[in-house]
Amino acid sequence: MKFTEQHEWLRVEDDLVVVGITDHAAEQLGDVVFVDLPEEGTTVSKDDEVVVIESVKAASDILAPLDGEIVEVNQVLTETPAKVNEDPTGDGWFFKMKIEDLSALDEFMDEAAYQAFID
């Protein structure tokens, strides 16, 4: 897994990048009550607002970590947004994207670097 300074995690599955938020981000948000997901097939640029999350504490945007195409979204979150809190690095993923070059993930933090970043 790789991590962004915006508290997103990135995991490669086959040739796709799965994106979600970290345990730390889920804890900071509090109970998630609404998730607005992008349309599948949407082309995004790095730092585009892709997902809107509303919690009991705040509203937050999830940004595209890379340029690419959204090829799948986690529809479960529209009906059960609490999955983001229950399993943020597993079943609480937001979207899968196809990118040009998986080596672009090398610019992100590994788990040790992310832990140092949040401590």
Side-chain angles (χ1 to χ4, degrees):
M1 248 189 219
K2 294 291 189 171
F3 298 88
T4 72
E5 291 184 357
Q6 290 75 36
H7 308 287
E8 298 169 12
W9 56 261
L10 314 172
R11 180 177 63 231
V12 176
E13 286 183 5
D14 299 319
D15 62 341
L16 302 178
V17 177
V18 184
V19 180
I21 61 171
T22 64
D23 291 328
H24 176 77
E27 288 170 21
Q28 296 298 313
L29 276 172
D31 294 336
V32 174
V33 295
F34 176 78
V35 177
D36 184 24
L37 296 166
E39 293 286 325
E40 292 177 0
T42 302
T43 299
V44 296
S45 297
K46 183 177 179 171
D47 296 332
D48 282 356
E49 294 176 0
V50 182
V51 176
V52 176
I53 304 170
E54 293 180 11
S55 72
V56 294
K57 291 183 181 178
S60 185
D61 295 319
I62 300 300
L63 307 179
L66 299 157
D67 296 347
E69 178 186 357
I70 306 297
V71 295
E72 186 178 342
V73 296
N74 189 355
Q75 292 293 348
V76 170
L77 299 183
T78 59
E79 294 185 20
T80 316
K83 279 267 184 237
V84 173
N85 299 108
E86 293 165 10
D87 192 10
T89 57
D91 291 339
W93 60 275
F94 291 111
F95 58 89
K96 295 180 182 180
M97 63 188 304
K98 188 169 190 62
I99 63 172
E100 288 286 321
D101 182 4
L102 290 174
S103 70
L105 294 170
D106 294 343
E107 71 184 75
F108 297 106
M109 293 178 276
D110 62 15
E111 190 165 1
Y114 179 71
Q115 285 301 324
F117 175 72
I118 62 174
D119 285 343

